[in-house]
Amino acid sequence: MLAYIARRVLLMIPTIFLISIISFVAIQLPPGDFMTSYVAGLRTMGENIEQEAIDNLRERYGLGQPVYVQYIKWISGIILRGDWGQSMEWQKPVKDLIGERILLTVVLSLVSLLVSWFIAIPIGVYSATHQYSILDYVMSIISFIGVGVPGFLLALIIMYFAQTRLNLNVGGLFSQEYINAPWSVERVIDMLKHLWIPVLILAVEGTAGGIRTTRANLLDELNKPYVELARAKGLSEWKLIWKYPVRIALNPFFSTVGWSLASLISGATLISVVLSLQTTGPMQLRALTSQDMYLAGSFLLILSVLTVIGTLISDILLAWVDPRIRLEK
């Protein structure tokens, strides 16, 4: 087990290195750069900027250098000094910009993920063990609706009813006076007051999909010989279901931890934009559209590294949960 993990970790190093190159090159592929977009925006508003000033800004951010030189400066700064570069649009260090937003995104996404799991798994197990019952039909209809309705549309509907019927302001994660305030007990309480609506919206799709996945996988397992054997030995039905087939039916949850770990940082970008959430999603989208290369590249690198780490965690969890899976010696 330890040897397997060690080999996987060693393989992760060149993988992450290759990902960092692809991430940085990918944001350079669109024509132009940040300065091109910046100057075009100024001229659209009727402002003029001299070519000398443009050249000075290009030199300041290294935009006039070859891509490989820019990459070496960026990756060496991250590895040697923990310097993720300077955001061109925000005029701030990248690590300062994404630090607090990552914390808020992790809290929001992790709570949503756990809520969806805690709801989806018991309901999915009940639907499978009570197939074609009235509650099974009801849960199936609800889950189909949850999967079919886009998250951003659900966000718009909830915002409308919350503001028109309940007179609640559901935009953002904080009240106006706490947006830029330092962390305190009052700010945490204010965040919790706003957190339930985005958690509800984000959890709906995950819960709906989780119910369908758990139900389908568990139905496949319930009629297998090992279940009949355990039942013939007199094992109680409740213990039998949860000890054996449910563990195997939950494999898809563990196999997608790699994606879930990355989504903790990226968040649901469209939903975050609709709800004006102070998470990483809107900032990441803005950085990509404005070609803010250090900020966009840092987001892509972080998400890719988390996906690689999450894949390793998924493999370990699958080997632990499912006894049929054996790691290589």
Side-chain angles (χ1 to χ4, degrees):
M1 183 73 167
L2 292 177
Y4 171 80
I5 296 175
R7 286 198 302 271
R8 291 297 304 273
V9 171
L10 290 177
L11 287 173
M12 286 168 56
I13 296 174
T15 302
I16 292 174
F17 175 70
L18 182 61
I19 287 173
S20 69
I21 296 176
I22 296 174
S23 299
F24 195 81
V25 172
I27 62 176
Q28 305 279 0
L29 292 178
D33 50 32
F34 173 79
M35 289 307 305
T36 304
S37 303
Y38 177 69
V39 172
L42 289 178
R43 288 173 177 171
T44 301
M45 294 185 293
E47 299 183 23
N48 292 321
I49 181 170
E50 296 180 358
Q51 185 62 40
E52 183 179 356
I54 297 175
D55 294 337
N56 290 335
L57 288 173
R58 287 185 181 276
E59 182 66 26
R60 175 184 176 185
Y61 292 113
L63 297 178
Q65 299 174 334
V67 174
Y68 68 89
V69 175
Q70 298 179 38
Y71 168 76
I72 292 174
K73 291 174 62 177
W74 176 62
I75 199 66
S76 61
I78 294 174
I79 296 174
L80 300 177
R81 302 184 302 275
D83 180 11
W84 293 76
Q86 184 86 357
S87 170
M88 304 172 193
E89 182 174 8
W90 297 82
Q91 297 291 305
K92 291 182 180 179
V94 169
K95 63 180 180 181
D96 294 342
L97 282 173
I98 66 179
E100 182 174 342
R101 287 189 176 240
I102 284 181
L103 174 62
L104 294 175
T105 308
V106 168
V107 171
L108 174 61
S109 301
L110 185 59
V111 172
S112 303
L113 180 66
L114 293 177
V115 168
S116 65
W117 282 15
F118 281 125
I119 296 175
I121 293 173
I123 293 178
V125 171
Y126 181 89
S127 295
T129 54
H130 297 76
Q131 190 179 18
Y132 305 132
S133 64
I134 295 178
L135 189 58
D136 179 32
Y137 284 120
V138 172
M139 290 298 103
S140 296
I141 293 173
I142 293 175
S143 62
F144 281 132
I145 295 174
V147 172
V149 177
F152 71 90
L153 178 59
L154 182 62
L156 290 172
I157 294 173
I158 291 180
M159 285 181 65
Y160 172 78
F161 280 99
Q163 292 180 351
T164 58
R165 305 297 181 183
L166 303 178
N167 197 26
L168 293 175
N169 182 12
V170 297
L173 289 174
F174 300 99
S175 299
Q176 191 64 34
E177 63 271 21
Y178 289 106
I179 291 179
N180 297 316
W183 282 103
S184 61
V185 175
E186 291 78 12
R187 193 177 190 226
V188 172
I189 294 174
D190 184 72
M191 182 184 70
L192 294 177
K193 291 179 180 178
H194 291 77
L195 192 65
W196 67 274
I197 287 183
V199 165
L200 174 63
I201 296 169
L202 290 174
V204 165
E205 185 175 357
T207 301
I211 292 173
R212 304 305 306 163
T213 301
T214 304
R215 181 183 184 276
N217 287 350
L218 188 54
L219 285 174
D220 289 339
E221 296 295 326
L222 286 178
N223 295 322
K224 290 187 176 180
Y226 74 90
V227 178
E228 298 297 335
L229 177 61
R231 187 176 288 116
K233 288 184 176 182
L235 197 65
S236 66
E237 192 70 16
W238 178 262
K239 186 176 181 180
L240 181 152
I241 295 297
W242 285 95
K243 187 175 182 180
Y244 298 111
V246 168
R247 288 177 60 185
I248 298 176
L250 294 183
N251 280 359
F253 290 92
F254 295 107
S255 64
T256 57
V257 167
W259 306 336
S260 301
L261 195 59
S263 68
L264 293 181
I265 302 302
S266 64
T269 301
L270 284 178
I271 296 175
S272 298
V273 171
V274 171
L275 293 177
S276 302
L277 303 180
Q278 294 82 18
T279 56
T280 56
M283 180 176 284
Q284 179 185 0
L285 178 62
R286 187 180 181 94
L288 289 170
T289 54
S290 65
Q291 295 181 270
D292 193 346
M293 63 180 187
Y294 292 123
L295 183 57
S298 297
F299 272 121
L300 293 177
L301 179 60
I302 291 173
L303 296 180
S304 302
V305 170
L306 287 176
T307 302
V308 173
I309 295 174
T311 302
L312 174 63
I313 295 174
S314 296
D315 292 341
I316 295 172
L317 288 175
L318 283 172
W320 173 65
V321 172
D322 191 344
R324 300 172 301 177
I325 298 176
R326 292 293 180 266
L327 302 178
E328 296 179 1
K329 299 296 185 182

